[in-house]
Amino acid sequence: MHSADVIVVGGGSFGAAVAYGLVRKGVDTVVLDGADDSLRAARGNFGLVWVQSKGMGLQRYADWSRESSHLWTDFADDLKDSAGIHVNYQNGGGLNLLLSEEERETCRRNIDIMRQQAGADGYDAEIIERDEIQKMVPGLKVGDGVAGGSFGPHDGHANPLRLLRALHRGFEHLGGRYFACNQVTNITHDGGAFVAETPSNCFTAPKIVIACGHGITKLAPMVGINAPIRPQRGQVLVTERIETTVEMALGSIRQTDEGGFMFGNSEEEVGFNDGTTLPVTGNIAARAVKAFPQMANVRLVRNWGCIRVLTPDKCAIYDESETLPGAYVATSHSGVTLAAVNAHHVSKWVATGETPPDFDHFSARRFDVPAAA
Amino acid sequence: MFRRLHDPEPEAVTINFEGEILKVGVGETVAAAVLTANPGHSRTTPVTGAPRLPFCMMGACFDCLMEIDGIPNRQACMEIVQDGMKVRRQEGKRQLSA
Amino acid sequence: MNDTVDFLIIGGGPAGLAAAVEADGLGLSTLVLDEQPAPGGQIYRGIESVHPETRSVLGDDYGQGAALAGAFRASKADYRPGAAVWRVDEDGSVAYSQDGKGATATGTRILVATGAMERPTPIPGWTLPGVMTAGGAQVLLKSSGMVPSGPVVVAGCGPLALLITQQLIRAGADVVALLETTKFGDYLSAAPHLLTALRARDYLRKGRQLRRDIRAAGVPIHSGVDALAAVGEDKVRAVSFKRNGARSEIAVDTLLLHFGVAPNTQITRQVFCDHEWYEPQRYWRPVRDAWGATSQAAIAVAGDGGGIDGAVAAALTGRLAALDAAHRQGKIDQAERDRRAAPLRDEFATHQAIRPLLDALFPPPPQICAPPDDTTIVCRCEEISAGDIKEAVALGAMGPNQLKAFTRCGMGPCQGRMCGLTVSELIAKARGETVEETGYYRIRPPIKPVTLGELAAMAAMAAMAD
């Protein structure tokens, strides 16, 4: 039986960030992670630190995302110190390319909605024209089919795999204990502490954070939390390495620091099928070539599907169990964006009980159907 | 590094390797033709700039990547020489075409 | 372009060619997609255009490919050379790239006949210019009539190392030595198999003749060598090795490495076939039945891609797969299928009988499977060393896919072909588990790189068709 102050279930972006924040504060933490072939959204993540599209319908989430982007630089520096790994965070803003008048119109409407919703908090994304876009990406020829773009000054991107590795390494350097191949099968409370069982081990701690993506569906009810999440597939293309051409994140297009271009983005309701399909691959490629015709002779090297952890309103769930205080659930599909606030604020919430302002907005209870009057 | 057992003439084709005109045999792969020119290296890696020459000659290792007729990162062991072909080393990461 | 055929064969080596001839003869519409520009695969590479003198140097086994290629050309099978398959779907649809254009094709049944690759040969310095695989040198001889121009050493183990040494000598190359890792103990453990191997005498005679030819040319064969390394700064200038405790160096211009062959499982993995670990030769192979059927309903495998049995056996398994396809599609009934298959199975059994002997005689050396020197590059594309891998495992990477995420190992253009086996072995060793437990990389499309322009054009065509 291993004991700790906090058990974090899940070693993906969410779990690793919260766990890192905990050990940074000197909290004795164990991370329980799955196997090599477990579902891992963190390994398929695009790498955006994205604000402009977040929180429609939940202003608190828009603010939370923005706050995270403001913390990200210090967060990345901190990781560099404790893990010795540079995650290459670029915060020059982000540009979402609009490839038709229809897309442009939809975007304009969404910007209006977000501005209204934000009120005094403000909402900073705006539509910019093609010639403005060309000035922002001087290394690339912008295609004629680009109808405009929405620029968000708080947006950016980082290397998502190095982020995961840095979080793991920082966690272990600071004294955290990591257990791979220890998928949690059962969580109980023995009156004093939570007990998490895995196939080969048993762990106990007064607090437990369930941050294991789709594993939440089975585990959260064990601690009295109902966190409705569903799988949604996104397919990604990555190309051969190319000399650095653009540093800004371009929504569903980004150039990694190694040089490959990544192209997304699909939203498919296919259960847990993380395969790829020829039509979607072709469509993503077509959009890439439309946006930047120079991509026509650039080669695809790898293509994958990744299963997002999606909440009903696409905003994060952070919840503490009412029946078993000390048990938490934390999840969203934006593990890279939120890594900074997860490491900073969520770990503090778990460690000290100090709830960030208006955190109840993120409770899963917001999805409960109200009982008839 | 490699030499031909038989003269490629009279059917030889001509390619341009890094400015050097090479008489090569019909049907040879670009990688094979380049290997006869004692090239030192046919590419440098995008990770560390290390020099490489073709390794497996069967399209599996990707160490034979070269720029052929202006298109970078082509597997030279999978391309047959054509008369007038321009072949250059792949130095590190490719550029985008103009 | 989207053709639909009864039998879609990927690969133009002996398995694919023989399968095509058989299938065509049985009335199946047959399409062969071959990445190479001409039939023969690797073992019979260049068979249609090889210079007669070179063909004689290469020997009779190679020459046998000519008849097979001829029969293939005479058949009605649709042959598409220079067609690189980059994606296979479970329902039998295939995407390929030919002359810079993308196309799809569908087979009621797919035969994956993409053969084998040489197993990775990670010794210190193996990425230096001038270090190649023995197979690579053989391709140069077969398809281009070329030999190394300077001093060359062949190092490793297995029948191909012996054969290429003899072939290069006959072709007039300056072969300085053959360094074999095979040691006396391997011969001892092979001894019991001598009794059961039907063609053992033939095989051993061939091997002895090769050795005689090599020695007669004044080329030494050093056995039991260990700690091979390629020495040099910008290119290889020597091969270093240990023998009987003493370290030696031989100056070379070219170093050829070979430690056996392993099935190329890129396609079978990409289309989600089950695989199993074959311990005697330490490689993965697709799980298949006696007809080459895999765990995927529409996919069969034949030839060395299903398990290493050599060129003649590959042609036999190709024919068996074609017979099975014909039966499944109602061209022949089961009795007919089994009747035609019987002599093929008998012949296959005689070829397969030699395997336990070969496997015991030429096990891949442990230090090649899991290189002990931490500085040895394992992933050539991303330049990740054995030490990097061990460090990542210590950090918690519990398998090849987490390792890939942590280090980029396996993410380069070759998508794990050069490092996959080594990575699984190193992780298994570090974690104290079997390689089977460790598993392998998740292989994704594209099997070969394909341009975004080609993909976009395919999408446009599909949109127009809708």
Side-chain angles (χ1 to χ4, degrees):
Chain A
M1 178 88 109
H2 302 268
S3 53
D5 293 337
V6 181
I7 295 167
V8 174
V9 182
S13 316
F14 254 71
V18 172
Y20 173 76
L22 285 168
V23 294
R24 205 76 184 73
K25 295 167 174 66
V27 176
D28 179 24
T29 310
V30 307
V31 168
L32 306 182
D33 203 6
D36 194 48
D37 56 357
S38 300
L39 270 180
R40 290 177 183 278
R43 286 204 311 230
N45 199 302
F46 208 69
L48 298 179
V49 178
W50 213 245
V51 176
Q52 63 169 277
S53 63
K54 302 290 174 64
M56 184 177 288
L58 188 59
Q59 182 59 29
R60 184 68 184 91
Y61 188 62
D63 292 338
W64 183 242
S65 304
R66 185 165 55 188
E67 186 179 355
S68 198
S69 93
H70 292 165
L71 287 173
W72 238 95
T73 303
D74 287 344
F75 168 61
D77 289 341
D78 187 53
L79 272 179
K80 183 101 201 293
D81 285 337
S82 45
I85 291 174
H86 176 52
V87 300
N88 202 53
Y89 171 52
Q90 300 284 332
N91 65 349
L95 188 57
N96 203 27
L97 296 180
L98 307 164
L99 302 188
S100 68
E101 281 309 315
E102 207 176 81
E103 285 180 26
R104 191 194 159 107
E105 182 52 27
T106 305
C107 184
R108 192 198 57 74
R109 271 202 313 267
N110 288 342
I111 289 176
D112 284 344
I113 292 171
M114 292 302 288
R115 280 211 183 108
Q116 288 240 15
Q117 180 185 282
D121 288 347
Y123 175 74
D124 302 310
E126 53 171 354
I127 300 228
I128 62 172
E129 302 304 326
R130 201 174 151 282
D131 55 343
E132 191 63 39
I133 294 172
Q134 182 62 81
K135 290 200 202 111
M136 283 181 168
V137 294
L140 285 170
K141 285 208 194 105
V142 176
D144 292 335
V146 174
S150 80
F151 178 75
H154 308 290
D155 300 332
H157 59 149
N159 186 316
L161 297 178
R162 277 223 295 283
L163 169 65
L164 187 66
R165 183 175 175 204
L167 288 170
H168 277 242
R169 198 198 249 184
F171 175 73
E172 296 204 16
H173 279 189
L174 293 168
R177 286 172 285 152
Y178 171 76
F179 295 85
C181 303
N182 268 269
Q183 216 142 357
V184 174
T185 51
N186 199 30
I187 304 175
T188 49
H189 195 269
D190 66 7
F194 292 95
V195 177
E197 293 163 53
T198 73
S200 44
N201 269 309
C202 225
F203 300 84
T204 180
K207 294 183 184 174
I208 186 163
V209 180
I210 304 171
C212 51
H214 286 289
I216 286 170
T217 303
K218 186 164 158 250
L219 296 179
M222 293 177 184
V223 298
I225 298 175
N226 179 36
I229 53 174
R230 76 177 196 284
Q232 187 194 66
R233 181 170 73 193
Q235 294 188 39
V236 183
L237 278 56
V238 71
T239 71
E240 57 193 345
R241 290 182 190 236
I242 298 167
E243 294 267 6
T244 304
T245 327
V246 58
E247 287 181 340
M248 182 182 289
L250 302 172
S252 56
I253 300 175
R254 67 175 280 259
Q255 185 173 23
T256 70
D257 46 309
E258 291 97 8
F261 268 81
M262 287 173 74
F263 297 97
N265 165 21
S266 67
E267 295 176 350
E268 303 165 79
E269 312 288 332
V270 291
F272 291 96
N273 182 334
D274 67 352
T276 59
T277 63
L278 191 53
V280 171
T281 304
N283 286 336
I284 293 175
R287 283 186 72 88
V289 173
K290 186 172 184 184
F292 302 115
Q294 289 166 297
M295 293 296 160
N297 73 11
V298 168
R299 286 178 201 83
L300 173 68
V301 162
R302 192 174 170 91
N303 185 200
W304 67 85
C306 183
I307 305 299
R308 293 185 185 88
V309 185
L310 217 53
T311 65
D313 60 4
K314 295 189 178 179
C315 303
I317 292 175
Y318 296 103
D319 222 335
E320 182 178 9
S321 172
E322 286 182 310
T323 52
L324 289 169
Y328 304 83
V329 162
T331 190
S332 111
H333 67 287
S334 300
V336 174
T337 305
L338 300 179
V341 281
N342 283 340
H344 210 267
H345 295 316
V346 176
S347 65
K348 194 194 288 188
W349 175 48
V350 170
T352 66
E354 191 181 317
T355 312
D358 296 325
F359 223 47
D360 56 313
H361 287 223
F362 296 134
S363 165
R365 276 158 261 150
R366 71 185 187 267
F367 303 115
D368 291 346
V369 177
Chain B
M1 221 202 107
F2 275 77
R3 63 178 171 84
R4 290 182 184 82
L5 294 172
H6 305 103
D7 197 335
E9 299 275 21
E11 290 172 338
V13 298
T14 301
I15 67 171
N16 179 325
F17 170 55
E18 295 275 340
E20 190 187 337
I21 306 299
L22 301 179
K23 277 233 154 50
V24 302
V26 169
E28 284 175 12
T29 61
V30 173
V34 164
L35 282 170
T36 64
N38 244 336
H41 69 281
S42 56
R43 81 172 182 118
T44 53
T45 64
V47 181
T48 66
R52 298 282 175 95
L53 275 178
F55 178 74
C56 79
M57 295 303 297
M58 57 177 279
C61 76
F62 289 79
D63 258 316
C64 64
L65 295 179
M66 298 191 80
E67 182 192 290
I68 301 174
D69 286 340
I71 311 276
N73 281 346
R74 294 172 74 170
Q75 283 182 291
C77 78
M78 303 295 295
E79 301 285 342
I80 304 296
V81 293
Q82 304 292 331
D83 205 36
M85 226 177 204
K86 280 201 173 64
V87 178
R88 295 173 57 84
R89 294 185 178 96
Q90 182 60 48
E91 307 279 14
K93 291 183 254 213
R94 67 166 286 178
Q95 313 263 6
L96 286 176
S97 302
Chain C
M1 205 187 339
N2 186 347
D3 303 279
T4 303
V5 293
D6 296 330
F7 200 40
L8 195 163
I9 300 170
I10 307 173
L17 298 178
V21 173
E22 188 79 31
D24 177 53
L26 292 164
L28 292 169
S29 58
T30 304
L31 170 64
V32 177
L33 298 176
D34 185 3
E35 194 181 35
Q36 291 296 320
Q42 299 310 319
I43 194 89
Y44 299 133
R45 185 137 169 198
I47 191 65
E48 290 182 329
S49 54
V50 67
H51 192 287
E53 281 173 31
T54 310
R55 179 171 162 163
S56 148
V57 159
L58 288 163
D60 291 335
D61 285 348
Y62 172 72
Q64 277 175 26
L68 186 48
F72 173 68
R73 290 285 194 188
S75 78
K76 290 186 310 301
D78 184 354
Y79 179 55
R80 310 238 171 114
V85 168
W86 63 266
R87 183 191 171 98
V88 179
D89 275 292
E90 294 162 274
D91 63 357
S93 53
V94 161
Y96 66 97
S97 181
Q98 190 185 29
D99 296 328
K101 282 206 192 58
T104 54
T106 305
T108 306
R109 194 154 185 75
I110 305 273
L111 179 64
V112 180
T114 49
M117 290 183 319
E118 281 166 282
R119 67 173 310 118
T121 57
I123 64 170
W126 70 306
T127 56
L128 286 170
V131 181
M132 292 178 71
T133 60
Q138 209 184 45
V139 162
L140 283 163
L141 185 55
K142 286 171 181 170
S143 63
S144 309
M146 292 177 185
V147 295
S149 47
V152 51
V153 164
V154 179
C157 67
L160 183 60
L162 208 56
L163 179 62
I164 189 62
T165 305
Q166 186 246 27
Q167 289 170 332
L168 287 175
I169 291 169
R170 284 172 60 150
D174 177 14
V175 181
V176 180
L178 167 61
L179 304 177
E180 281 190 318
T181 53
T182 317
K183 26 188 215 308
F184 187 60
D186 298 324
Y187 288 95
L188 285 182
S189 44
H193 299 289
L194 289 174
L195 300 172
T196 52
L198 285 164
R199 294 170 59 246
R201 267 208 307 271
D202 278 346
Y203 176 79
L204 290 176
R205 196 180 317 143
K206 255 184 187 164
R208 271 202 302 276
Q209 185 60 51
L210 286 175
R211 299 185 109 79
R212 266 203 291 271
D213 289 349
I214 293 169
R215 291 203 167 99
V219 176
I221 303 178
H222 300 305
S223 301
V225 309
D226 192 8
L228 283 162
V231 181
E233 284 69 52
D234 289 328
K235 59 176 186 152
V236 68
R237 61 171 173 77
V239 55
S240 159
F241 61 99
K242 260 190 174 152
R243 187 162 180 253
N244 297 327
R247 182 161 275 286
S248 306
E249 239 184 55
I250 301 178
V252 294
D253 193 51
T254 304
L255 173 62
L256 301 178
L257 302 175
H258 179 82
F259 292 94
V261 290
N264 178 347
T265 56
Q266 296 295 102
I267 291 182
T268 46
R269 285 188 182 277
Q270 184 264 284
V271 73
F272 312 106
C273 294
D274 292 340
H275 288 74
E276 62 187 9
W277 176 250
Y278 181 61
E279 179 68 33
Q281 278 289 298
R282 304 194 76 78
Y283 60 61
W284 298 89
R285 61 185 185 194
V287 173
R288 70 231 194 273
D289 73 4
W291 302 98
T294 67
S295 59
Q296 285 291 351
I299 317 286
V301 65
D304 275 0
I308 306 302
D309 283 307
V312 181
L316 295 166
T317 54
R319 293 176 66 186
L320 288 168
L323 281 168
D324 190 40
H327 168 244
R328 284 166 180 262
Q329 294 180 45
K331 301 286 188 192
I332 53 176
D333 65 18
Q334 185 166 308
E336 176 73 9
R337 177 197 68 171
D338 294 347
R339 189 187 63 78
R340 288 180 185 242
L344 303 177
R345 289 210 185 281
D346 287 344
E347 210 192 320
F348 181 72
T350 69
H351 285 282
Q352 218 189 20
I354 200 71
R355 280 296 134 183
L357 172 65
L358 291 180
D359 289 348
L361 202 48
F362 302 120
Q367 63 272 29
I368 293 301
C369 297
D373 184 331
D374 280 354
T375 65
T376 310
I377 296 276
V378 173
C379 171
R380 293 175 64 103
C381 295
E382 298 289 325
E383 304 182 61
I384 308 295
S385 70
D388 292 333
I389 293 167
K390 288 176 194 167
E391 190 203 341
V393 174
L395 181 62
M398 75 299 281
N401 297 290
Q402 190 83 334
L403 175 82
K404 184 191 288 188
F406 275 9
T407 63
R408 291 192 57 85
C409 193
M411 281 189 175
C414 95
Q415 290 290 295
R417 288 167 174 85
M418 294 288 113
C419 67
L421 285 174
T422 317
V423 162
S424 293
E425 295 260 19
L426 282 171
I427 294 175
K429 196 160 176 211
R431 286 177 53 79
E433 59 190 17
T434 67
V435 178
E436 193 134 37
E437 284 167 335
T438 294
Y440 194 78
Y441 291 135
R442 176 84 182 267
I443 300 299
R444 298 275 203 174
I447 297 297
K448 278 297 183 88
V450 57
T451 66
L452 296 177
E454 251 182 74
L455 291 169
M458 287 173 82
M461 268 177 33
M464 283 195 310
D466 280 343

